[in-house]
Amino acid sequence: MDILGISAFYHDSAACLVRDGEIIAAAQEERFTRRKHDANFPTRAAEYCLQQGGINASQLADVGFYDKPLMKFERLLETYLAYAPVGLRLYLKAMPLWLKEKLWIPDIIKKELGYEGQVLFTEHHESHAASAFYPSPFDEAAVLTMDGVGEWATSSYGVGRGHRLELLGELHFPHSLGLLYSGFAYYTGFRINSGEYKVMGLAPYGEPRYVDLILKELIDLKPDGSLALNMRYFNYCQGLTMTNSRFNELFGGAPRKPEAPLTQREMDLARSIQDVTEEAMLRMARHVQTITGQKKLCLAGGVALNCVGNGRILREGIFENVWIQPAAGDAGGALGVALAIWHNYLDNERSTKDRVTEDSATHCRADQMKGSLLGPEYSEDEIKTFLDVRNIPYKQLTREETPHVVAQILADENVVGWFQGRMEFGPRALGARSIIGDARSERMQSVMNLKIKYRESFRPFAPSILRERLGDYFELDGDSPYMLLVAPVREEVRRALSADDEQLSGLAKLSVPRSLIPAVTHVDYSARVQTVCPQDNPIYYQLIKAFDELTGCPVIINTSFNVRGEPIVCTPEDAYRCFMRTELDYLVMENFLLDKHAQPATMDEGGLAN
Ligand SMILES: [Fe+2]
């Protein structure tokens, strides 16, 4: 029985195909349309899912939509009426899309897919909760969801047991941890819905000097983690901005313009809101543990992409184990609704096939996400044809050679575009569409930020490490397959700083190597770790293993294969275009090795125009 899940019309539209409870395919629309965070109906992603499943839309048993548009519309109307007439501009801006599309979702689904059957809806946080629990490795667990807002809920918690998932409590709009964080992303000059990640990365450069002010003026944070925002300082209910002039007065000035330089003030604001968010997340987690008595926790919702907060929940020992849905944002809702229909609505048991106990050699525990490698893949033949038709020079390696050749290339301080197997579902690259480099290199962070990603120099990079070597480098006990847990670098791996280095503040901290793996060690000695297991992504595991054999270091840099402002690459053509546009030294697609020096000088991206 095939069920297609859809999330759309807010941000990060996506589709997911579930067959008899197994996740067959999932992808975000942006990867196909090349429009970052594309919120349109995910026609291309749905097409891909059906194709991967070898079916057409008429063979679908059900289609599910990840939230309830009428409830959302009701929230919009009620909020408008509560603030009228001042909310008129927001109301008028939102209305055409609602009248044209959002209220007619079953019709749109039927038309776009050519589908005649029934369309089912789950509530937004039910979708997040289902995406958190059902694919997890746990038979029984507490579930916590946190985001900006769904219909009314901004956070929810509950318990999953077997194939049953029950939500026990909710926090409601406008009181929202996600919207509070987005308010600070907006105020510090980043885009909401995507810039939150940058705020988190900026936080370690700052001091928490605004924490008391935030807790005194902006939010009433209760011991159970619930919160009430002081709406006098926010504008999102009635206006087109997140914060208002009172907020500006409170923090001493207008919001930073997006391309204006970052100052210590933005860093201190970032640190302060990050600290407050972590405190709220910890309180919520403790409350949920107390109420449910569960030992394990599943997380989803946009706030669960705050991997620093996730890492704290794990380290505080509130739960024995924490699992986070890799597509924690709204894209994951497509997966959540499909699984909720299969298990909660159609009453089907969960498969125990993959939920095995820990592998003794690698310490890996499997979940049902298949490493989140759920997107399109391209065969050797397809890649060869692509290269040959365009006369692109390459060297073809054997499968055995590839990890060893690439390991040597990395050890020689080259930066490599790495394109293997099925594309990742969710915002992080996990070794299928990644840019990789040597984590031991002192110059790699600035080379990769400025010459390849064309982005802010403060942005940290993340390490991929062999799962069995995790304890040698990081203070983390457990899997982190989706790069959603931040952990401290072990003392033994850190480097002592000179007295002068200790005094540095703000971005000057960047220039000091802090560990044996400086390229992935943030200024507060933290790292956003990805543990790599052989069963999820064999070739990526073999590559890091070969790098370890060559250098004695089982850690490499892993960042997403894209440049600033673009979605992660999907096809060989996207990958080649990105390779030629940036200062990437090599591109490896399956077993084809492309050397930048061997590429014809005239073949810039225009070479792909024909
Ligand atoms: Fe959400």
Side-chain angles (χ1 to χ4, degrees), residues 558-602:
N558 175 10
T559 184
S560 53
F561 196 160
N562 64 330
V563 290
R564 189 180 184 182
E566 283 193 359
I568 294 176
V569 301
C570 177
T571 64
E573 181 172 334
D574 300 336
Y576 186 72
R577 198 185 293 270
C578 187
F579 171 58
M580 294 303 287
R581 263 188 194 176
T582 60
E583 293 184 44
L584 276 173
D585 300 304
Y586 290 87
L587 171 62
V588 184
M589 294 199 279
E590 295 297 329
N591 300 317
F592 298 93
L593 176 68
L594 282 69
D595 179 345
K596 180 65 70 61
H597 296 108
Q599 303 304 313
T602 51

Side-chain angles (χ1 to χ4, degrees), residues 386-579:
F386 165 78
L387 297 170
D388 288 341
V389 164
R390 288 163 181 79
N391 287 321
I392 294 171
Y394 62 83
K395 187 174 172 194
Q396 186 166 8
L397 306 169
T398 66
R399 201 62 172 163
E400 290 67 40
E401 280 174 319
T402 298
H404 299 283
V405 171
V406 179
Q408 184 63 59
I409 287 172
L410 291 176
D412 293 337
E413 283 197 298
N414 293 293
V415 186
V416 176
W418 177 254
F419 182 104
Q420 301 286 335
R422 297 184 70 178
M423 182 181 69
E424 299 87 348
F425 179 50
R428 304 277 82 84
L430 300 167
R433 303 288 185 276
S434 290
I435 292 174
I436 53 180
D438 187 342
R440 302 168 306 158
S441 166
E442 289 182 13
R443 63 185 191 95
M444 226 13 102
Q445 182 175 7
S446 86
V447 167
M448 285 172 83
N449 266 330
L450 301 176
K451 294 191 171 176
I452 292 164
K453 305 281 284 192
Y454 302 115
R455 66 181 200 181
E456 303 89 338
S457 62
F458 73 86
R459 304 280 301 276
F461 286 104
S464 291
I465 182 168
L466 297 177
R467 172 65 182 89
E468 66 268 29
R469 298 287 304 280
L470 178 64
D472 296 343
Y473 283 79
F474 303 104
E475 290 169 25
L476 177 64
D477 182 21
D479 296 311
S480 180
Y482 307 121
M483 219 180 248
L484 285 170
L485 287 167
V486 164
V489 172
R490 280 184 75 93
E491 288 287 349
E492 300 87 317
V493 181
R494 296 183 190 183
R495 276 187 197 164
L497 297 190
S498 69
D500 286 349
D501 289 343
E502 295 272 15
Q503 297 305 314
L504 294 172
S505 65
L507 294 180
K509 291 179 178 179
L510 252 182
S511 58
V512 184
R514 281 160 200 274
S515 78
L516 301 178
I517 42 171
V520 294
T521 305
H522 210 350
V523 292
D524 59 356
Y525 295 100
S526 68
R528 181 160 44 87
V529 180
Q530 182 197 8
T531 53
V532 180
C533 290
Q535 69 266 40
D536 290 338
N537 189 344
I539 187 76
Y540 194 47
Y541 179 86
Q542 287 157 18
L543 167 67
I544 305 173
K545 190 98 180 153
F547 187 75
D548 186 23
E549 283 160 14
L550 188 67
T551 65
C553 177
V555 186
I556 64 170
I557 307 170
N558 175 10
T559 184
S560 53
F561 196 160
N562 64 330
V563 290
R564 189 180 184 182
E566 283 193 359
I568 294 176
V569 301
C570 177
T571 64
E573 181 172 334
D574 300 336
Y576 186 72
R577 198 185 293 270
C578 187
F579 171 58

Side-chain angles (χ1 to χ4, degrees), residues 10-11 66 124-125 128 146-150 153 300-302 328-331:
Y10 193 48
H11 51 90
Y66 85 129
H124 190 100
H125 278 257
H128 279 316
M146 301 163 285
D147 70 359
V149 60
D330 283 355

Side-chain angles (χ1 to χ4, degrees), residues 11 30 53 76-77 123 128 163 182 237 239-240 263-264 292 297 356 374-375 402 455 491 501 519 538 548 572 593:
H11 51 90
E30 62 161 24
L76 190 80
L77 282 181
E123 283 187 32
H128 279 316
H163 73 288
S182 295
C237 284
L240 300 176
T263 66
Q264 193 60 43
T292 65
L297 176 68
V356 293
L374 299 164
T402 298
R455 66 181 200 181
E491 288 287 349
D501 289 343
D548 186 23
L593 176 68

